[in-house]
Amino acid sequence: MTIRCLLLCLALALPTVRVAAHTPPPPPKSAGNTDSTILWQPNKPLVWADFKGTAGPDEKLHALTSADLNVQVSCSNNKLTVNVEAVFRPLESWTRSADSAPLLRHEQVHFDLTEVHARLMRLSLLKLRMTCEQAQTQLQPLIDAAFTVWQREQDRYDEESRHGLDAKGQARWEQQVAAQLKALPR
């Protein structure tokens, strides 16, 4: 049996920046944990019970992780506020191998890697010195580019670890992602 996984990035409809004419919008809020999302937390690794979706009848994969970067943008008094969070989508994630600890570790690294890219995007966007008006045209391409880099990194992880089947490749990625999480500010 081959154990494979796939990262599913569903929410590519990225946010647009709104400039408030009279009443500023509320600042971005955390998505929070719900039945449909779990925020990445340093001391709360995924467990198979978090994978609540169901595989399709023709699905050949053993597990699927649906993770995303939740980007929220607002402007108030011409000050740009951006919040980026890594989220896991339980209802879109599933497994057929709930007894496989190595597969769960592989899936966890997908989620951890999403958190790495949330932090990188947050840092990058915080450094911007643009007005809300400038953000109307300049912010979306930056967010799009960050999503592309994140998706490519996820693909590279699956390739180099052979979806978790290459123990050395998997261990390298686990160490690399753990080091990035330690080095990047939360």
Side-chain angles (χ1 to χ4, degrees), residues 119-181:
R119 292 178 188 189
L120 290 170
M121 187 187 303
R122 223 174 6 252
L123 282 173
S124 174
L125 297 178
L126 283 173
K127 291 179 184 176
L128 296 177
R129 301 257 191 250
M130 66 175 64
T131 65
C132 291
E133 185 177 330
Q134 292 169 322
Q136 290 288 337
T137 58
Q138 297 174 21
L139 188 59
Q140 193 63 51
L142 297 172
I143 292 172
D144 291 346
F147 265 79
T148 298
V149 169
W150 166 62
Q151 290 169 332
R152 285 184 185 150
E153 188 86 353
Q154 294 285 358
D155 291 342
R156 199 178 83 172
Y157 166 49
D158 271 337
E159 284 175 28
E160 292 180 6
S161 70
R162 288 190 24 228
H163 298 275
L165 293 173
D166 180 333
K168 288 181 181 178
Q170 180 66 32
R172 262 193 318 275
W173 273 90
E174 287 177 20
Q175 292 169 354
Q176 174 185 324
V177 171
Q180 288 176 300
L181 287 171

Side-chain angles (χ1 to χ4, degrees), residues 20-38:
H22 301 293
T23 309
K29 292 187 248 178
S30 168
N33 290 341
T34 67
D35 286 341
S36 61
T37 60
I38 296 174

Side-chain angles (χ1 to χ4, degrees), residues 1 7 20 26-27 33 45 51 54 56 62 90 99 104 106 111-112 115 125 132 135 148 151 164 171 175 182-183 185:
M1 267 184 169
L7 176 72
N33 290 341
F51 291 70
T54 305
H62 285 250
D99 59 342
L104 182 58
H106 180 78
F111 194 26
D112 292 347
E115 174 64 15
L125 297 178
C132 291
T148 298
Q151 290 169 332
Q175 292 169 354
K182 189 174 182 178

